[in-house]
Amino acid sequence: MYVTVVETSEEKLHLTRQPSNRSWSILIGLVSFGFGAAYYGADHLLWKLAYVCGSVFIGLTCLEEWEDCIFDKMAGQVEVMKKNIFQKYFASSSEPNKVVANLADISDVVVEEELSEKYAGKGYHVVLKFREGYSVGVTEISTIGDQNEHNEIVNIITKFLDLDRREGMPSSQESKVDDTSSSSDESFEKVDKAEIVTESQD
């Protein structure tokens, strides 16, 4: 699965992504290799411990991160956060990587395609587009395969943010420009052409 809907209501939408099965398989494979080398090897005990600890450490660092995307209408913001296994399950002083942005600045939600690798297929992930020109991915990790799951997430986010209705409404900056131009036009005094001709003849 691409992401899982943890919570959905009129005020909050919480999406989460966990490490994929492929990522867990790599971890299990590396750990098994380390234990196998330690069990069947004829090396010293310290070397066997090094094999086990090294394989576990490399496997944990290769494990994908936990990613969360939370849309909160009460706070008026979207929060994209990711945590590795050490930050999630073990005591760590480091804060998770987090991006916070204003909900009102989101202009569009689209599915973007990652560069495909040979024999791997195309990867997709959902991206939030902002009025200022930058974009933020709902997840940093893309998934390979069917695009329909990503399209469903786009529909869920679009419906939650009412983007279809928001696109038909003028932005606050445009309305300010219109008000300024109309007020400036009204500030000019309308002068009759006949009055200008009369004054010039005098």
Side-chain angles (χ1 to χ4, degrees), residues 116-137:
S116 59
E117 298 181 3
K118 191 175 183 180
Y119 307 119
K122 296 179 180 179
Y124 304 94
H125 64 154
V126 179
V127 175
L128 306 175
K129 298 287 186 178
F130 290 82
R131 302 184 189 279
E132 290 78 5
Y134 65 91
S135 59
V136 175

Side-chain angles (χ1 to χ4, degrees), residues 7-66:
E7 179 183 357
T8 176
S9 63
E10 293 184 357
E11 301 297 335
K12 182 176 289 188
L13 174 63
H14 184 182
L15 308 174
T16 186
R17 173 173 170 79
Q18 299 180 355
S20 62
N21 293 332
R22 180 175 63 89
S23 181
W24 285 110
S25 299
I26 294 174
L27 171 61
I28 294 173
L30 289 172
V31 173
S32 300
F33 176 81
F35 275 97
Y39 182 78
Y40 294 103
D43 297 320
H44 193 272
L45 179 61
L46 293 178
W47 280 108
K48 293 182 178 182
L49 290 176
Y51 295 155
V52 174
C53 294
S55 62
V56 171
F57 178 77
I58 296 174
L60 291 178
T61 55
C62 293
L63 188 66
E64 294 175 351
E65 296 177 315
W66 281 258

Side-chain angles (χ1 to χ4, degrees), residues 84-135:
N84 56 37
I85 191 170
F86 301 102
Q87 294 169 331
K88 185 173 180 63
Y89 292 110
F90 303 103
S92 177
S93 59
S94 60
E95 292 291 332
N97 297 325
K98 184 186 300 185
V99 176
V100 180
N102 193 347
L103 278 182
D105 295 335
I106 299 176
S107 60
D108 198 6
V109 184
V110 297
V111 178
E112 288 191 354
E113 178 182 327
E114 291 283 329
L115 294 177
S116 59
E117 298 181 3
K118 191 175 183 180
Y119 307 119
K122 296 179 180 179
Y124 304 94
H125 64 154
V126 179
V127 175
L128 306 175
K129 298 287 186 178
F130 290 82
R131 302 184 189 279
E132 290 78 5
Y134 65 91
S135 59

